[in-house]
Amino acid sequence: MKKKLQNQINEDALLREVVEDVKNEELQQLWNKYGLFIIVGVALVLTVAISFESIRNWRDKKNQELSNAYSVAMSLQNQGRIDESLEIYTTLAEKASGIYDDLAKMQIANIYLEQGKKEDALAVLKALIESKNTIPQMRDVASLKLVSYKLDTDASKDEIMVLLQPMLEKEKGFEIAHELMAMLYIRENDIESAKAQYQKIATSADVSETIKSRALDMVNLLNEQ
């Protein structure tokens, strides 16, 4: 039995050795046949990894530069150095992309409104709304700002509703759109529709207590009319 076990062990060792030799031979054949491609493949993987890291570093650096430029423009604006801040915002709007492009354009519109350049401000807001490159959240902000201005003008009900409709259809976070819609109904002397908008705000589960309270106050005020 002991001898048989020893023979089995010797056979297993020999089998492992044969298998290892076959593996080594196969690997050598693969290397002889594909060695250059393996080297090239490894080089490509390393190149892609290095390129990705370089691109990420470049992107981070660029975003930091844009952030710094926007911060400087905001600081100048707060100091009352409007022309200097406007120059930086304009440069960002022309050369940047993404959030800093949109933010710069929004600030340009704000400055124009403060300067009484209403047509220029409206043109900037309309461009933000209509551009396919505008970040959706910024498009909504531009729409709300444009609506709040148009409510005090002779803009038609239909014109304003077109701007508000995309936000009214969203489920969360657009109670301001409903408030503006209520204000539009008040402007049009449609008090019942205005109250319905405020009631919708007051009964929403996603609205803060402060906004709910304001909506209920408006309902009570309108009931007194």
Side-chain angles (χ1 to χ4, degrees):
M1 174 67 71
K2 191 173 183 180
K3 185 177 179 181
K4 184 176 181 181
L5 180 59
Q6 184 62 45
N7 289 337
Q8 183 66 46
I9 292 172
N10 292 338
E11 288 175 3
D12 289 345
L14 179 61
L15 181 60
R16 285 197 298 271
E17 186 177 345
V18 170
V19 169
E20 194 63 32
D21 288 342
V22 170
K23 284 183 177 179
N24 289 336
E25 185 177 348
E26 289 177 346
L27 287 172
Q28 185 62 47
Q29 290 175 351
L30 286 171
W31 178 261
N32 292 337
K33 187 173 183 179
Y34 299 110
L36 179 60
F37 295 102
I38 293 172
I39 293 172
V40 171
V42 171
L44 285 174
V45 170
L46 290 174
T47 300
V48 169
I50 293 171
S51 297
F52 176 78
E53 187 66 25
S54 298
I55 291 172
R56 186 172 65 178
N57 290 337
W58 170 81
R59 183 192 62 193
D60 291 344
K61 181 180 179 182
K62 181 180 179 183
N63 286 337
Q64 186 60 53
E65 290 173 350
L66 293 174
S67 176
N68 291 341
Y70 183 78
S71 297
V72 169
M74 285 287 291
S75 177
L76 291 171
Q77 185 179 355
N78 292 333
Q79 295 173 39
R81 297 160 66 178
I82 303 302
D83 290 342
E84 293 172 79
S85 66
L86 189 57
E87 184 177 349
I88 297 175
Y89 288 137
T90 301
T91 300
L92 284 172
E94 292 174 350
K95 297 183 178 181
S97 60
I99 185 65
Y100 292 107
D101 172 23
D102 295 343
L103 286 171
K105 289 175 181 175
M106 185 64 69
Q107 289 303 112
I108 290 172
N110 289 336
I111 290 173
Y112 283 158
L113 284 173
E114 291 172 1
Q115 293 178 334
K117 300 177 181 178
K118 294 180 180 179
E119 292 304 317
D120 291 335
L122 296 184
V124 173
L125 292 173
K126 286 179 181 178
L128 266 173
I129 295 167
E130 295 171 0
S131 174
K132 294 180 180 179
N133 297 322
T134 301
I135 295 173
Q137 293 88 337
M138 291 301 298
R139 180 179 292 110
D140 291 336
V141 172
S143 296
L144 291 172
K145 192 169 187 65
L146 187 57
V147 167
S148 65
Y149 170 78
K150 285 182 175 292
L151 280 171
D152 292 328
T153 69
D154 59 355
S156 70
K157 176 183 175 182
D158 290 342
E159 182 181 351
I160 294 175
M161 288 186 70
V162 166
L163 291 168
L164 285 175
Q165 198 59 44
M167 290 170 284
L168 293 172
E169 293 172 357
K170 296 181 180 180
E171 295 181 2
K172 296 181 180 180
F174 283 92
E175 57 274 5
I176 295 176
H178 287 284
E179 286 190 275
L180 289 173
M181 193 68 200
M183 292 171 66
L184 174 61
Y185 283 131
I186 293 171
R187 194 193 76 170
E188 299 296 312
N189 204 30
D190 186 351
I191 304 303
E192 291 305 314
S193 294
K195 287 193 292 186
Q197 288 295 319
Y198 285 123
Q199 288 284 8
K200 186 176 295 186
I201 296 169
T203 56
S204 174
D206 302 310
V207 175
S208 70
E209 291 302 318
T210 300
I211 295 176
K212 285 183 180 181
S213 178
R214 185 171 68 212
L216 287 173
D217 286 343
M218 287 302 301
V219 171
N220 293 331
L221 183 63
L222 292 173
N223 283 332
E224 295 173 2
Q225 301 300 312

